[in-house]
Amino acid sequence: MSTYFQEDQKEASRRGRLETDHGVIQTPCFIPIATKGAVKTMSSGDMKKLGAQILLSNTYHLLLRPGLESMRELGGLHRFMNWDGPILTDSGGYQVFSLSKMNKTTEEGVTFQSHIDGARVHLTPELSMQMQTAIGSDIVLQFDDVAAGDSSRERYKEAMERSLRWAKRCKDSFQRGDVSTLSPGRRTVAVVPSDTIKTSPLLFGIVQGGVHEDLRERSVNGLMEIGFDGYAIGGLSVGEPREDMFRITKQTCALLPADCPRYFMGGGMPEEIVENVKSGVDMFDCVLPTRNARHGTLFVWNQDPSTIDFFQPKADPPLAENNSLSPTWYKQLRITNEASQFDESPIDPFCDCETCLTTSRAYLRHLFSVQEILALRLATIHNLRFYLQLMEELRMRLNK
Amino acid sequence: MSTYFQEDQKEASRRGRLETDHGVIQTPCFIPIATKGAVKTMSSGDMKKLGAQILLSNTYHLLLRPGLESMRELGGLHRFMNWDGPILTDSGGYQVFSLSKMNKTTEEGVTFQSHIDGARVHLTPELSMQMQTAIGSDIVLQFDDVAAGDSSRERYKEAMERSLRWAKRCKDSFQRGDVSTLSPGRRTVAVVPSDTIKTSPLLFGIVQGGVHEDLRERSVNGLMEIGFDGYAIGGLSVGEPREDMFRITKQTCALLPADCPRYFMGGGMPEEIVENVKSGVDMFDCVLPTRNARHGTLFVWNQDPSTIDFFQPKADPPLAENNSLSPTWYKQLRITNEASQFDESPIDPFCDCETCLTTSRAYLRHLFSVQEILALRLATIHNLRFYLQLMEELRMRLNK
């Protein structure tokens, strides 16, 4: 691993680069979500064209289908989905908590029923490491115990402390090379560029502790004692007030080592990403651009993004508790509204994506109203491009 | 209009070219179906990349949504869907018959209930002409009375004769320029190449008469008396035995004028297309490649298509009544079958489509099994390319 993070005068924001087996990630970055091995409606080639640097895939979903042994047999996810860039995998902890029925947590791990066929599955820190290794993940996340967003302080504390103990088991399993049980692929993986520097996958710990600063501090210290290649901030963007999310992110970043990447899990709106970049976060993932796209809600620049001063101290108040408040530099367009019926302008005149170059608002509205699958794809292309362009703009501001 | 059809030594097959306002169509050709103004899962740019020369859209569907006035306001379908190639539209007759509830046919036209909201719509030959003109269709089909596949001879006769009377009304309406009520677009249509020769749209009559040769002959004679730019063969591929379909197509083609394009409506399997090309058909459309794709059934060459002798007199018997019988030069692959679980080969080693160049059978099977939308798109790309490549191969065989 080689990392480089340059702190900026702009609050605590950083411009960095992170080397992986499958190439360098320029940060701050946004990670599109390929839950089951594909970004919904998009091929790996499409994602490359859009400018995605790295994809996220979900251990929980891939563990159910195609499964651990199949993933090994298939030679890993890069080969399977023909993606030669870096892949980050979450550990499965969050999906077990949010998707499965009748999950039961013990010190050993979590037993849950598959949301697909009800089959009983036992997921442990060690199995999560093995599955992420079978996937061939470049950035492996520790398995964690996830507390619900409205938990008591006691439950947050319990989940954070168990997550620390599981973090240690993950690190041990990772170092022991439980992971090396990966059976060789049936032929060499052709998609990996031959000149890529070979390093190990990176292992990230996950900071937990809800909105309690003392629990977050304990979590950071515990993880740093174990030692990880990077640190994820978990358990936020789960319904807590925005100001708590911003406060905890800022506090946590200030505690984390400066030379390691920081990854905010699962958030958020564009203005939230900007605010968390200012606090020193390097990596983001979020379902919003793709999910909103499929529901016909599109992100649209209100001005040429190269003219936006994201780091202006007096920017629109991003701390408003009302999550519907948006800053002035973008808006959300409900494409199914009547206003677009005869609108021949592109979704976003400042966007360079395939959708904006070829499709009118009127046509996209029609495709949604007659329920054409193409509507979902064209909207997804645009919203992902909006998020990726946002990160490009932020990186340009942070370049020396 | 300028047409050129060169008869070949290979039975009655022809190699031709057909000029339209939006470019030349090389025949024999296959016309992908953009029912509601989009080929399912595919953008207009995707269709151009695949090598589609012309698209078919459905008057019935576009009449319901976005509607006649909206289509006029939007400046026609080429502009709306950003497709600069030719567009053929069917007349709505078949969809009224097959999709709507409570349709009632009188000499005036058909009254039907929208399959979407139950609204009562009255469709006449004249309205069909107006709608196809609002669409800006390059190849307009007459409105016809469609008899069910298992009708009595009397019903076939009635439908054929009414279709002839409606053919006259369509021609009259078309010549009167009922069609010229098209309101001007709100700005000039930028997608039309400036060097395209401007001609009128072409009007095709539809030969009806079921599987009865005398009715078909009466239909052809009646249509030729009225005079059309091209002739469609309707009412076949609706469940009749294959040998009847081939017999009637061959008989009808022999009666039609040699210098006009012939269009077989709605069929069929690859070997059926080959057989009907031998009878002298120039144009085909069919839902099979796209619909089968979405159900996970893929067309796969059994040998390099450039080596197939499609016109070999002793080819596999295409006249088998059992529709499941396939010739030896292709097969249908059920991608969801277990056989593909670890199969890293492309769908079709002889295909040059994006899917075959980037996707393994194992990955496409996974995408179907986890119900990713991308599966439908990747399968559609391949099946359309298979049909388009089949037509390219046939044209090459017929080139002098």
Side-chain angles (χ1 to χ4, degrees):
Chain A
M1 178 186 60
S2 151
T3 57
Y4 171 82
F5 293 98
Q6 173 71 52
E7 291 212 9
D8 197 87
Q9 299 304 321
K10 289 149 185 149
E11 307 192 24
S13 58
R14 301 127 53 92
R15 174 75 178 84
R17 48 177 279 135
L18 179 57
E19 277 184 21
T20 75
D21 278 6
H22 291 91
V24 171
I25 303 157
Q26 301 290 347
T27 67
C29 75
F30 178 77
I31 315 174
I33 301 180
T35 301
K36 305 170 189 170
V39 177
K40 290 197 193 309
T41 78
M42 304 287 285
S43 73
S44 296
D46 295 328
M47 293 308 301
K48 186 122 293 195
K49 267 183 243 163
L50 267 186
Q53 302 183 77
I54 169 173
L55 301 179
L56 181 155
S57 203
N58 291 109
T59 293
Y60 169 86
H61 288 95
L62 295 177
L63 185 65
L64 298 184
R65 292 181 301 193
L68 174 61
E69 286 307 321
S70 293
M71 187 50 79
R72 284 177 178 163
E73 175 72 13
L74 290 160
L77 185 59
H78 290 88
R79 178 188 182 86
F80 190 41
M81 68 183 289
N82 196 28
W83 169 256
D84 65 5
I87 291 173
L88 178 151
T89 41
D90 67 2
S91 64
Y94 183 77
Q95 279 74 29
V96 164
F97 154 74
S98 64
L99 285 181
S100 68
K101 281 176 280 190
M102 295 176 56
N103 65 73
K104 181 163 179 287
T105 305
T106 65
E107 189 60 24
E108 173 61 15
V110 183
T111 304
F112 65 95
Q113 276 199 318
S114 159
H115 75 285
I116 298 159
D117 59 4
R120 188 171 296 268
V121 185
H122 188 57
L123 187 54
T124 62
E126 290 75 16
L127 177 57
S128 176
M129 291 300 102
Q130 285 176 40
M131 183 62 198
Q132 291 183 71
T133 304
I135 290 168
S137 180
D138 298 282
I139 300 178
V140 169
L141 270 287
Q142 75 151 96
F143 188 65
D144 57 345
D145 182 11
V146 178
D150 55 354
S151 296
S152 66
R153 182 187 154 86
E154 268 319 291
R155 170 67 188 124
Y156 278 125
K157 186 164 185 291
E158 177 196 55
M160 178 274 287
E161 286 176 345
R162 182 174 285 137
S163 292
L164 276 183
R165 293 191 296 274
W166 286 359
K168 181 73 169 71
R169 280 168 59 189
C170 285
K171 176 81 180 280
D172 289 347
S173 167
F174 193 77
Q175 285 188 322
R176 265 200 318 271
D178 290 352
V179 298
S180 67
T181 53
L182 176 60
S183 62
R186 294 185 301 164
R187 58 182 189 200
T188 56
V189 180
V191 293
V192 180
S194 58
D195 60 346
T196 301
I197 304 151
K198 296 290 166 202
T199 63
S200 302
L202 311 180
L203 180 62
F204 280 28
I206 302 178
V207 181
Q208 292 288 6
V211 294
H212 306 287
E213 296 188 18
D214 59 329
L215 299 185
R216 289 280 170 179
E217 184 169 356
R218 165 74 195 113
S219 180
V220 169
N221 289 337
L223 291 171
M224 286 174 63
E225 273 170 40
I226 302 168
F228 287 91
D229 301 314
Y231 296 86
I233 302 171
L236 293 177
S237 260
V238 290
E240 75 285 357
R242 262 189 174 186
E243 55 191 356
D244 285 344
M245 183 265 285
F246 289 130
R247 174 175 56 83
I248 293 295
T249 304
K250 192 164 188 168
Q251 178 232 353
T252 304
C253 283
L255 297 169
L256 287 169
D259 60 347
C260 289
R262 303 164 188 162
Y263 161 37
F264 186 99
M265 303 182 83
M269 291 292 285
E271 68 276 20
E272 295 173 346
I273 287 180
V274 169
E275 199 60 20
N276 286 333
V277 162
K278 288 181 192 172
S279 295
V281 177
D282 307 301
M283 306 164 71
F284 299 87
D285 78 283
C286 190
V287 294
L288 273 179
T290 43
R291 180 178 293 164
N292 281 5
R294 296 196 305 279
H295 292 127
T297 300
L298 295 146
F299 293 96
V300 175
W301 299 106
N302 280 336
Q303 65 187 90
D304 181 341
S306 71
T307 67
I308 302 168
D309 185 0
F310 295 104
F311 295 95
Q312 190 183 21
K314 289 224 165 208
D316 302 67
L319 295 170
E321 280 190 46
N322 179 349
N323 279 346
S324 72
L325 273 189
S326 286
T328 56
W329 45 270
Y330 80 93
K331 63 170 172 279
Q332 293 186 70
L333 172 68
R334 288 281 313 148
I335 192 67
T336 50
N337 284 354
E338 206 164 340
S340 294
Q341 188 174 4
F342 298 111
D343 189 344
E344 291 199 305
S345 55
I347 309 310
D348 186 335
F350 298 112
C351 181
D352 60 2
C353 80
E354 181 193 326
T355 302
C356 289
L357 294 179
T358 63
T359 310
S360 69
R361 293 181 179 193
Y363 183 57
L364 186 55
R365 178 182 183 274
H366 168 74
L367 294 178
F368 269 103
S369 70
V370 299
Q371 297 179 296
E372 281 288 337
I373 287 171
L374 178 61
L376 312 182
R377 175 174 160 86
L378 291 175
T380 298
I381 288 173
H382 171 70
N383 272 3
L384 280 175
R385 184 64 200 138
F386 180 93
Y387 266 67
L388 293 170
Q389 192 174 0
L390 170 63
M391 304 317 288
E392 288 169 14
E393 293 293 337
L394 292 173
R395 289 199 299 273
M396 272 192 277
R397 304 296 188 286
L398 297 172
N399 279 338
K400 294 295 166 191
Chain B
M1 180 186 61
S2 153
T3 57
Y4 171 82
F5 294 98
Q6 172 72 53
E7 292 212 9
D8 197 87
Q9 299 303 321
K10 287 146 185 152
E11 308 192 24
S13 58
R14 299 128 55 90
R15 174 75 177 83
R17 44 178 282 135
L18 179 57
E19 276 184 22
T20 75
D21 278 4
H22 290 91
V24 172
I25 302 157
Q26 302 289 347
T27 68
C29 75
F30 178 78
I31 315 175
I33 301 181
T35 301
K36 305 171 188 171
V39 177
K40 291 196 192 310
T41 77
M42 303 287 285
S43 73
S44 296
D46 294 328
M47 293 309 299
K48 186 120 294 198
K49 266 184 245 162
L50 267 187
Q53 302 183 79
I54 170 173
L55 301 180
L56 181 155
S57 202
N58 291 108
T59 293
Y60 169 86
H61 287 95
L62 294 177
L63 185 65
L64 298 184
R65 291 182 302 194
L68 175 61
E69 287 306 322
S70 293
M71 188 49 81
R72 283 178 178 162
E73 174 72 14
L74 291 160
L77 185 59
H78 291 88
R79 179 187 182 85
F80 190 41
M81 68 184 289
N82 196 26
W83 168 256
D84 65 4
I87 290 174
L88 178 151
T89 41
D90 67 3
S91 63
Y94 183 77
Q95 280 74 30
V96 164
F97 154 75
S98 64
L99 284 181
S100 68
K101 280 175 278 189
M102 296 176 56
N103 65 73
K104 180 163 179 287
T105 305
T106 66
E107 189 59 24
E108 173 61 17
V110 184
T111 304
F112 65 94
Q113 277 199 317
S114 159
H115 75 285
I116 298 159
D117 59 4
R120 187 171 296 267
V121 186
H122 187 57
L123 188 53
T124 63
E126 290 76 16
L127 177 57
S128 177
M129 292 299 102
Q130 285 174 39
M131 184 63 198
Q132 291 183 70
T133 304
I135 290 168
S137 179
D138 298 283
I139 300 179
V140 169
L141 271 285
Q142 75 151 98
F143 188 65
D144 57 345
D145 182 12
V146 178
D150 55 355
S151 297
S152 67
R153 183 189 153 86
E154 269 318 292
R155 171 66 189 124
Y156 278 125
K157 186 163 183 291
E158 177 196 53
M160 178 272 287
E161 286 176 344
R162 181 174 285 136
S163 292
L164 276 183
R165 294 191 295 273
W166 286 359
K168 182 74 170 69
R169 281 168 59 188
C170 286
K171 177 81 180 282
D172 289 346
S173 167
F174 193 76
Q175 285 188 323
R176 266 199 316 272
D178 291 354
V179 299
S180 66
T181 53
L182 177 60
S183 62
R186 295 186 300 166
R187 57 180 192 204
T188 56
V189 180
V191 293
V192 180
S194 58
D195 60 344
T196 302
I197 304 151
K198 296 290 164 199
T199 63
S200 303
L202 312 180
L203 181 62
F204 280 27
I206 302 178
V207 181
Q208 291 288 6
V211 295
H212 305 287
E213 296 188 17
D214 59 331
L215 300 184
R216 290 278 171 181
E217 184 169 358
R218 166 73 194 115
S219 180
V220 168
N221 290 337
L223 291 172
M224 284 173 63
E225 273 170 40
I226 303 168
F228 287 92
D229 300 314
Y231 296 87
I233 302 171
L236 293 177
S237 259
V238 290
E240 75 284 356
R242 263 189 174 185
E243 54 189 357
D244 285 343
M245 183 267 285
F246 289 130
R247 173 175 56 84
I248 293 295
T249 304
K250 192 164 189 168
Q251 178 231 354
T252 305
C253 283
L255 297 169
L256 287 169
D259 60 348
C260 288
R262 303 163 187 163
Y263 161 38
F264 186 99
M265 302 181 83
M269 290 293 286
E271 68 276 20
E272 295 172 347
I273 288 181
V274 170
E275 198 62 19
N276 286 334
V277 163
K278 288 182 192 171
S279 294
V281 177
D282 307 302
M283 305 163 72
F284 299 87
D285 79 281
C286 190
V287 294
L288 273 180
T290 42
R291 180 177 294 163
N292 281 5
R294 297 197 302 281
H295 292 127
T297 300
L298 296 146
F299 293 97
V300 175
W301 299 107
N302 279 336
Q303 64 188 90
D304 181 340
S306 71
T307 67
I308 302 169
D309 184 0
F310 295 103
F311 295 94
Q312 189 184 20
K314 291 222 168 216
D316 302 67
L319 294 170
E321 280 190 50
N322 178 350
N323 279 345
S324 72
L325 273 190
S326 287
T328 55
W329 44 270
Y330 81 93
K331 63 170 171 278
Q332 294 185 71
L333 171 69
R334 289 283 311 150
I335 192 66
T336 49
N337 284 353
E338 206 165 341
S340 294
Q341 187 175 5
F342 298 110
D343 189 344
E344 292 198 307
S345 56
I347 310 308
D348 186 334
F350 298 112
C351 182
D352 60 3
C353 80
E354 182 193 325
T355 302
C356 289
L357 294 179
T358 63
T359 310
S360 69
R361 293 182 177 192
Y363 183 57
L364 186 54
R365 177 181 184 276
H366 169 73
L367 293 179
F368 268 104
S369 71
V370 299
Q371 297 178 297
E372 280 289 336
I373 288 172
L374 179 62
L376 311 182
R377 175 174 159 86
L378 292 174
T380 297
I381 288 173
H382 171 70
N383 273 3
L384 280 175
R385 185 63 201 138
F386 180 93
Y387 266 67
L388 293 170
Q389 191 175 358
L390 169 64
M391 305 317 289
E392 288 169 15
E393 294 293 338
L394 292 173
R395 288 200 299 273
M396 272 192 279
R397 304 295 188 286
L398 296 171
N399 279 338
K400 294 294 163 188

